[in-house]
Structure formats: C-alpha cells, structure tokens
Amino acid sequence: MRPTLCHYINFLTQMAGEENFKEELRSQDASRNLNQHEAAGHPHSWSLEMLLHRLRADHTKQDDKFANLLDAVGEFGTFQQRLVALTFIPSIMSAFFMFADYFVFTAQKPYCNTSWILAVGPNLSEAEQLNLTIPRAPNGSFLMCLMYLPVPWNLDSIIHFGLNDTDKCRDGWIYPDAKKRSLINEAQLSGWSRCRRGCRGNRAEATAEFDLVCGAETKKDTAHIMFMAGPLIGSLIFGLITDKIGRYPAILLSLLGLIIFGFGTAFVNSFHLYLLFRFGISQSVVGYAISSVSLATEWLVGEHRAHAIILEHCFFAVGAMLLTGIAYSLPHWRLLFLVGGVLAVPLISYIWILPESPRWLMMKGKVKEAKQMLCYAASVNKKTIPSNLLDEVQLPRKKVTQASVLDFCKNRQLCKVILLMSCVWFTVSYTYFTLSLRMRELGVSVHFRHVVPSIMEVSARLCCIFLLQQIGRKWSLAVTLLQTIIWCLLLLFLSEERKSMTILMLTLGEFSLAATVTVFFLYTAELLPTMLRATGLGLVFLASAAGAILSLTIINQTPSLLPIFLCCILAIVAFSLSFLLPETRDQPLFHSLEHSPQMRNKVKDMTTEDTSSDDMSSDDMSEEAAKNVILNAQILRLDPYPVSKPALEQ
C-alpha cells in the first residue's frame, strides 16, 4: 500500500516523541543552537522541502487513477522504452528536411551566359570568353549581372575593337567556380555544357526557373518564409486531427507527408513546385511534433515523461548534424533529398508497431480499446494489471466527441494559459531565428552554423534533466529565459569589429534557447487537458511560426541592432509572464475541461478574482501539519540532519 500523508505525519510524531526525554539534557544549549541554525539559513530546509515534495507527489499520484494504472503496467518498462525509441528516427528526419534549405541555397558567383561568342570562336577558353563578353568593374573584377550585347562580327574584329554596349543578362547565368550543384545553378551548369558544344542562345529553355541571382535573391527568403508558413496552417490542422481521430493516425499521416514530400522534392522542375513541396514538408514536421509529444505525454508519467521529450529533442539536433555531414559529402542538392527520402521509407513500419494513447481512447469513450492497449503494454512489460484496478477505466461522465479551438475561448482560465504560452512561444521562436540569421550575416560557414550549435543544443537539453528534477518546470523556464536575456543584452554592447566574441554570444544564446524550447514543450503539454492537448499545442505552434516569419521579415529590412533589441524586450516580457504560469511537476494530467476546480487551483496565481481563503483544504492542512511536525522534531533533535536518509527513502 502506498504511504499517505498521515503515515508520514505519524512516523514523524513518533520520532519527535522519542526525542522528548533529551530535552532537559539539552536545555542549556537549545537556545544557542537554534539561533546558530537560524543564522546559518536553515541548512536542513532542503531535506524538509524534499520530503514535502515527495508527499505532494505521492498524494497527487493517488488522485490520478490513470497514473496508478500505468504503475501497474510498468512505469518505464520495455513497452515504454520501445515507444520512446520509436520517436528518435522521425525526429532525426524532421530536422533533416527542416534545415535542408540552408544547404540547397548555397552561395554562388554568377556571370552572364555569353555562349553566343562560341559561334565565332568555338575554341575560346572559359577565361577568354569572360574577358571578351563581360564588362569589368573599376576595381578590375567582372560584373556579375551585365554582359556585352552580341554583334555580327568575326572573332578578330571583336578582339581588335572590343565591345561597348552592355545590357542585363539575357540568356541566363553560368557558374565557373561552382563545385556543387545547388538549386541556384543546376540547370545553368547543364545548359553551359551543352552550349560548349556549339549551341547559340536558347539558354532560357534550360533554366527550369531556378535563376535566384541578380535581383532574384529574395526568392531564397521567400522559400524560408513559405516553409515557416506551413506551421501556420499545419499546426491547426494537425492539432484538430490529433484530438479528433487520435494520436496514432496523426503520426502516420505526418510520417507519410515526410516521405512523399521529402522524397518528391528531389524531382521538382520549377521553383514554385519546390515551394509547394517545402510547404508540405513543414506541415508534416509540425504535425509529427504535436502528435508525438501528445502520445509520449499520455503514456509516460513523472520524470520519465520529461526524459522522453528531452531525448526526442536531442535526436532532433542529431538530425541537424546528420544533414550537415551528408550535405557536405554529396555533390548535388537532389541527391540530398533522395537520401533523406530513402532514410524515411522505413517509417512505414510504424503502421504495425505504434500504439494509440489509452488516455485519449478513454476520453473518447472507447473503454474496451483502452483496456486492450493497457493489457498489451502490461504483457510486453511482463506485468499483470489487477482486475479491480482495470475496472476503474470507465466511461467519462461526458464523452468527448469534438475538440474545437473555440473551447479555449469558452474556458476563461484555459484561455489565459494558452495566451501566456503563446506569448512565450512567439518570443522564443523570434529570438532563435534572429540569432541564427544574425550568425549568417556575419559570414559564418553554413556547416559551422549547424554542427556547433547542434552539439551545444544536445548538451543544453541534457542539462534540462537536472533543472527539471531540482527546480521544476516553472523555474527551469525562468532560468533559461534569464540566460537568453543576458546573452542578448551582451550582443547589444558588442561592436561589429569583435566578430569572434559576437559569434560566441550568438552560440550561447542558441544554447539557452534550445533548453527553453525543450522545457516549454514539456511544460505546454502538461498544462493542457487530454481532450485539447494537441489543439493547444497547435495554437502555440502557430504563435511560434508567426515569430519565425516576423524574424525573417524584420532582419532583412532593419538595422542589425534593432532585431537584437527586440529580442531583449520580448525575452524580458516572456520572462515576466513565465511567473504567471502554474507549476506542473508531480501534478496529474487533465483529461477534460470538467476538471475546472483543479484548473482554477493551477492558475490561481494568474487570477485576480476574490477567493475564500478562510477555509483550508485537507491537503493544505496535511502539508502544514507535516511542516510543523518536522520543524518540532528538528528543534528537539538539534542536530545538523534531523530527517535521516532512510526516513526520506521510505
């Protein structure tokens, strides 16, 4: 039988009683020792808080019947371990396809295609052709976006008299220094090789609409914005789908999108088609993030839930590193998507091995399916669920058949929570993309921008394990946001000449934000009820996408310091708002909006309504009684460690 608050209080009362006979022997030293104890800042208060934390956790767990069921199934047995491992590969592939744009739009140095001169001088070298047909800048370098107009002269006349009339590039561009084929120069390279064999003009027929130079550079930013626009729609669609038809179908749908759109991108023949496929990939990525976190949150309990989400995010960073290595070794951008598509094909097997969430099944009134899923998990873990415990899985008082965004407006407290979380998510997304784009402006190599921050992000997310265990979700979020504020403020005072120091601050800022994302991802999932968990995650993802788009828009149109200044302001606001959110560590997951009393208790720090504080709940009285008994025992014992380690471990 699980120990209750009363058991702990009785034990501590007995411990205090056994020490009463020592009181007279210590009466002369009691006052002095107590004063020393207070002056030292209560060195044993940590033991007190740890014990009270365990009391609250055990008492909360007793109230969550589903947590007791998962205890009987096995808190983190083979079934749960396999479930967590199944999230790794899709996380890797999500990062792979998400950041592929950065390696597709590699910088190229273009020159106008002037293959017309090969008709009169087929034996000209590449350097001779450029010297005769491309005008030069005052510093002697070739102009990249101008060419000499063709003339009906022979080669000797062109060499002797030279050319004077210039115009913009008419027949596309060539890339003599390009070593790899990117989205920018693929068609031009193939067209140049054909023209070397004697073609004249008709260069536009081979361009395939991939001319992203000489005034068309903004198309690259359009591709980034289009990718971030995907979550604006996909977050709402997949949020509703995940809550409506289940976590399992939503995950399969998002994985199918990754395979189809990821593999299909390798075969696009126009820039607009490329944008369409990237839009589909971005929706699949956000759909998997929402549905997988919902599934893991509802299958796991306590710290196992936090560890699972942290590991999933760590493998997301591993995916970014894998992308960097593959992109560095492949000579063609299409091969990058082909390899990614091939690696994603095994995800089809998830149709047969992925489980559904029993919490969601229960809320939908599918009690039989929920019991079957729990029994299957118990059999994998080699456990047996007691029949009386399994009988507690019953139909909810009101079967949930619909989940709507409007439900967040109808429930005042839930509306406040979702608005606060959306503000913080907007800030985190805006700041992260601003720092990343700022590093790109400094001319840092694309490989460095992904490998080094990814390594830092893995360590940052692993550090979250310690933070979440020691100080909980609320204070972990506050600590990581405070770190972000510090790095952003330092960036404001660094001059542009100190490039290495600026890069270090940017990297540390991304380090803090990676930890913030992981903490807040877990925090958000725990704050939302099961019936609307995915929909709520979709809403905050929408705010996150809006922050990313705003960052892409502002940083290209404003001075370099203004975006960083906005990062500081927004981070300070988010830091302040984070204190209004309730703590969720060791709290039961909500199943529906009918848990309004619990919700009101969770958000009481945010409300300004008058509440009757005269009547104390039985739980609060128990905690106060526990505190008084422990403190009395400490005063009577008057030793540095009044609560022994065995007592804490019982």
Side-chain angles (χ1 to χ4, degrees):
M1 179 178 297
R2 190 177 299 277
T4 63
L5 285 169
C6 294
H7 292 155
Y8 281 111
I9 293 172
N10 291 337
F11 167 78
L12 293 171
T13 304
Q14 293 175 3
M15 181 182 69
E18 292 174 358
E19 297 293 333
N20 283 340
F21 73 97
K22 299 180 181 180
E23 182 176 3
E24 293 183 0
L25 298 177
R26 302 185 185 181
S27 58
Q28 295 180 355
D29 298 330
S31 178
R32 175 174 52 85
N33 288 340
L34 183 59
N35 291 336
Q36 291 176 354
H37 160 67
E38 292 177 350
H42 301 279
H44 46 263
S45 61
W46 180 256
S47 301
L48 170 62
E49 292 301 324
M50 288 296 293
L51 178 58
L52 291 175
H53 165 67
R54 291 193 58 186
L55 295 178
R56 287 192 294 267
D58 287 336
H59 189 68
T60 299
K61 209 168 187 181
Q62 288 178 358
D63 292 340
D64 189 356
K65 296 180 180 179
F66 212 92
N68 294 330
L69 271 172
L70 292 179
D71 276 346
V73 169
E75 281 194 4
F76 198 66
T78 303
F79 179 85
Q80 287 87 348
Q81 294 171 11
R82 187 177 67 183
L83 175 64
V84 172
L86 288 175
T87 65
F88 294 162
I89 297 178
S91 296
I92 292 174
M93 299 315 304
S94 295
F96 188 97
F97 289 120
M98 180 174 180
F99 298 116
D101 271 347
Y102 294 101
F103 299 93
V104 167
F105 295 104
T106 53
Q108 305 289 342
K109 192 175 183 180
Y111 299 103
C112 293
N113 176 29
T114 56
S115 56
W116 60 267
I117 199 173
L118 296 178
V120 296
N123 296 321
L124 289 174
S125 66
E126 196 172 83
E128 291 172 337
Q129 178 183 343
L130 292 176
N131 189 52
L132 291 173
T133 59
I134 303 296
R136 291 179 180 270
N139 60 3
S141 61
F142 289 111
L143 296 175
M144 292 185 293
C145 299
L146 293 176
M147 61 175 284
Y148 287 120
L149 291 175
V151 293
W153 299 350
N154 58 36
L155 183 60
D156 292 335
S157 298
I158 294 175
I159 295 175
H160 185 267
F161 296 103
L163 302 175
N164 295 318
D165 296 331
T166 61
D167 195 4
K168 295 180 180 179
C169 301
R170 292 183 173 184
D171 299 324
W173 291 262
I174 60 172
Y175 300 82
D177 301 328
K179 297 180 181 179
K180 293 185 178 183
R181 292 190 182 183
S182 70
L183 190 70
I184 297 174
N185 70 344
E186 174 196 280
Q188 287 79 0
L189 282 175
S190 58
W192 169 254
S193 63
R194 290 195 294 270
C195 288
R196 291 293 296 177
R197 293 195 293 268
C199 70
R200 179 186 178 91
N202 297 328
R203 181 65 191 86
E205 297 178 359
T207 56
E209 302 183 24
F210 288 148
D211 297 326
L212 307 184
V213 293
C214 295
E217 293 87 354
T218 55
K219 288 186 177 181
K220 295 185 288 186
D221 295 327
T222 301
H224 296 320
I225 292 176
M226 179 61 73
F227 185 86
M228 296 312 303
L232 287 175
I233 300 176
S235 58
L236 292 177
I237 293 176
F238 273 95
L240 294 174
I241 288 176
T242 304
D243 282 333
K244 178 67 176 178
I245 65 176
R247 283 57 169 137
Y248 168 76
I251 291 177
L252 294 184
L253 186 60
S254 61
L255 295 182
L256 182 63
L258 278 180
I259 297 172
I260 294 176
F261 291 109
F263 195 78
T265 305
F267 302 97
V268 299
N269 58 1
S270 70
F271 183 68
H272 294 92
L273 194 58
Y274 177 82
L275 292 180
L276 177 62
F277 274 72
R278 292 296 294 167
F279 184 78
I281 289 176
S282 64
Q283 293 194 67
S284 301
V285 169
V286 71
Y288 175 75
I290 291 173
S291 52
S292 64
V293 167
S294 299
L295 184 64
T297 299
E298 293 161 10
W299 262 112
L300 301 172
V301 294
E303 296 305 321
H304 299 300
R305 181 189 304 135
H307 297 166
I309 294 178
I310 290 171
L311 286 176
E312 183 177 351
H313 285 197
C314 287
F315 275 87
F316 186 85
V318 171
M321 290 187 281
L322 176 66
L323 169 67
T324 305
I326 294 178
Y328 182 80
S329 59
L330 292 179
H332 202 301
W333 72 273
R334 293 186 186 272
L335 291 177
L336 184 64
F337 285 99
L338 284 174
V339 171
V342 171
L343 292 176
V345 168
L347 298 178
I348 297 176
S349 62
Y350 280 43
I351 296 175
W352 299 281
I353 59 179
L354 199 67
E356 181 56 274
S357 165
R359 291 182 187 263
W360 180 85
L361 290 172
M362 184 182 68
M363 289 307 302
K364 286 294 181 178
K366 301 179 180 181
V367 177
K368 181 178 179 181
E369 292 86 343
K371 290 181 178 181
Q372 290 175 348
M373 191 60 64
L374 289 169
C375 291
Y376 172 73
S379 65
V380 173
N381 292 338
K382 299 181 180 179
K383 299 280 188 177
T384 302
I385 305 177
S387 58
N388 61 333
L389 196 59
L390 195 61
D391 291 337
E392 293 183 3
V393 181
Q394 299 175 356
L395 282 170
R397 284 177 289 177
K398 183 179 179 181
K399 187 174 70 172
V400 180
T401 57
Q402 293 182 351
S404 172
V405 179
L406 297 178
D407 293 329
F408 289 98
C409 300
K410 296 175 183 178
N411 187 293
R412 181 180 177 184
Q413 308 302 340
L414 193 59
C415 180
K416 290 182 179 181
V417 170
I418 205 69
L419 287 177
L420 289 173
M421 291 189 297
S422 296
C423 291
V424 179
W425 269 92
F426 178 88
T427 299
V428 171
S429 180
Y430 172 82
T431 306
Y432 182 87
F433 279 92
T434 299
L435 297 184
S436 179
L437 293 172
R438 178 69 177 131
M439 190 174 291
R440 185 185 69 179
E441 286 183 347
L442 294 175
V444 180
S445 166
V446 64
H447 299 92
F448 178 90
R449 295 202 311 265
H450 283 80
V451 172
V452 175
S454 295
I455 295 174
M456 298 280 288
E457 286 176 11
V458 171
S459 58
R461 284 160 175 158
L462 291 177
C463 289
C464 291
I465 297 177
F466 174 79
L467 283 177
L468 292 170
Q469 287 179 343
Q470 298 300 322
I471 59 178
R473 279 61 164 156
K474 181 176 180 177
W475 283 101
S476 296
L477 178 63
V479 168
T480 54
L481 284 173
L482 180 61
Q483 290 177 339
T484 303
I485 294 171
I486 294 173
W487 305 133
C488 289
L489 288 174
L490 290 176
L491 282 172
L492 284 177
F493 297 100
L494 284 176
S495 61
E496 295 184 359
E497 290 76 14
R498 306 186 66 176
K499 182 178 177 180
S500 58
M501 186 61 67
T502 302
I503 293 174
L504 176 61
M505 294 297 105
L506 290 171
T507 305
L508 291 174
E510 292 185 1
F511 173 90
S512 300
L513 286 169
T516 305
V517 169
T518 299
V519 170
F520 206 54
F521 221 111
L522 170 67
Y523 201 1
T524 305
E526 291 181 340
L527 279 171
L528 297 170
T530 299
M531 61 176 287
L532 288 172
R533 180 166 291 115
T535 305
L537 285 171
L539 288 175
V540 297
F541 258 107
L542 190 150
S544 175
I549 293 175
L550 181 65
S551 173
L552 291 169
T553 304
I554 289 180
I555 203 166
N556 293 323
Q557 300 178 0
T558 56
S560 58
L561 286 181
L562 181 58
I564 301 297
F565 178 75
L566 289 177
C567 288
C568 296
I569 299 300
L570 290 174
I572 292 173
V573 172
F575 176 75
S576 303
L577 293 178
S578 66
F579 289 99
L580 301 178
L581 291 169
E583 179 59 70
T584 61
R585 183 176 63 167
D586 299 322
Q587 296 294 328
L589 294 178
F590 297 133
H591 293 308
S592 70
L593 297 178
E594 295 177 1
H595 294 82
S596 54
Q598 295 181 13
M599 179 64 74
R600 283 196 296 270
N601 287 334
K602 282 179 172 292
V603 296
K604 63 183 179 180
D605 294 333
M606 300 186 302
T607 60
T608 57
E609 299 177 355
D610 295 333
T611 57
S612 56
S613 57
D614 296 335
D615 298 330
M616 184 179 297
S617 65
S618 58
D619 292 345
D620 294 335
M621 293 180 64
S622 299
E623 283 193 17
E624 288 297 324
K627 279 188 178 182
N628 292 334
V629 171
I630 295 172
L631 289 174
N632 289 336
Q634 290 174 355
I635 294 174
L636 291 175
R637 288 174 61 99
L638 292 175
D639 56 37
Y641 302 99
V643 181
S644 63
K645 184 175 180 181
L648 289 174
E649 294 178 348
Q650 288 184 1

